C-alpha cells in the first residue's frame, strides 16, 4: 500500500472512532446513563433544602410541601424548583421577594450561586396565588 492509502485509511479509522464514541455518549445521555437529568426523587430532603438555600434569595420556610424539582443539562443547564406553602407562610415568603425590574408579576431570583460559583444567565421566581405554589427557574445559555 502506498503512503496516501495508509493516510486515507488512518483518517477513516479516526473519524469512525470519533463517530462511534460520540454515538455511544449520545445514547448513554439519552437513557440518562450520565445522570444529568434529575427530579425530586433524586434528592434527599437535606439536598432539597440545600438547593433552596442556593437558589432562593430568602429562606424557604420548613413548611414547604409538594416539592418538585426538574434539572436538565450538563454544561448548559436548566433548573426548575417549586413548592407549595400554607397561607400564612406563603404571604410572608412572597412579601420578602424583590420584584423583577423588567417583568411584572415576576420576582428576582438569586443570580450568583450560594457557593460563590458561576452566574446563572437567568433566575426568576413566579407565584401562583391560588395554588400557593412558588416556582423558581434558573438556567444558563
Amino acid at each position: 500500500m502506498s503512503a496516501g492509502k495508509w493516510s486515507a485509511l488512518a483518517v477513516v479509522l479516526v473519524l469512525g472512532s470519533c463517530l462511534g464514541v460520540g454515538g455511544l455518549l449520545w445514547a448513554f445521555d439519552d437513557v440518562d446513563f450520565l445522570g444529568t437529568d434529575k427530579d425530586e426523587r433524586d434528592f434527599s430532603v437535606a439536598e432539597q433544602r440545600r438547593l433552596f438555600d442556593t437558589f432562593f434569595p430568602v429562606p424557604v420556610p420548613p413548611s414547604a410541601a409538594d416539592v418538585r424539582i426538574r434539572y436538565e443539562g450538563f454544561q448548559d443547564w436548566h433548573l426548575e424548583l417549586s413548592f407549595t406553602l400554607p397561607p400564612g407562610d406563603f404571604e410572608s415568603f412572597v412579601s420578602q421577594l424583590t420584584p423583577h425590574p423588567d417583568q411584572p408579576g415576576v420576582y428576582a431570583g438569586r443570580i450568583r450561586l450560594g457557593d460563590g460559583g458561576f452566574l446563572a444567565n437567568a433566575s426568576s421566581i413566579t407565584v401562583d396565588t391560588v395554588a400557593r405554589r412558588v416556582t423558581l427557574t434558573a438556567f444558563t445559555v
Side-chain angles (χ1 to χ4, degrees), residues 90-125:
F90 178 79
E91 285 83 15
S92 176
F93 180 78
V94 172
S95 71
Q96 297 176 65
L97 297 175
T98 303
H100 195 286
D102 302 327
Q103 299 173 327
V106 176
Y107 299 89
R110 182 177 283 170
I111 300 299
R112 184 168 294 280
L113 299 182
D115 63 359
F118 56 89
L119 301 177
N121 287 350
S123 180
S124 61
I125 300 169

Side-chain angles (χ1 to χ4, degrees), residues 116-138:
F118 56 89
L119 301 177
N121 287 350
S123 180
S124 61
I125 300 169
T126 56
V127 296
D128 178 343
T129 56
V130 174
R132 293 185 315 276
R133 177 164 292 282
V134 177
T135 303
L136 176 133
T137 303

Side-chain angles (χ1 to χ4, degrees), residues 44-66:
S44 68
V45 173
E47 291 168 328
Q48 291 174 8
R49 297 302 305 180
R50 278 196 296 277
L51 282 173
F52 292 160
D53 293 343
T54 299
F55 285 95
F56 280 93
V58 297
V60 173
S63 59
D66 192 18

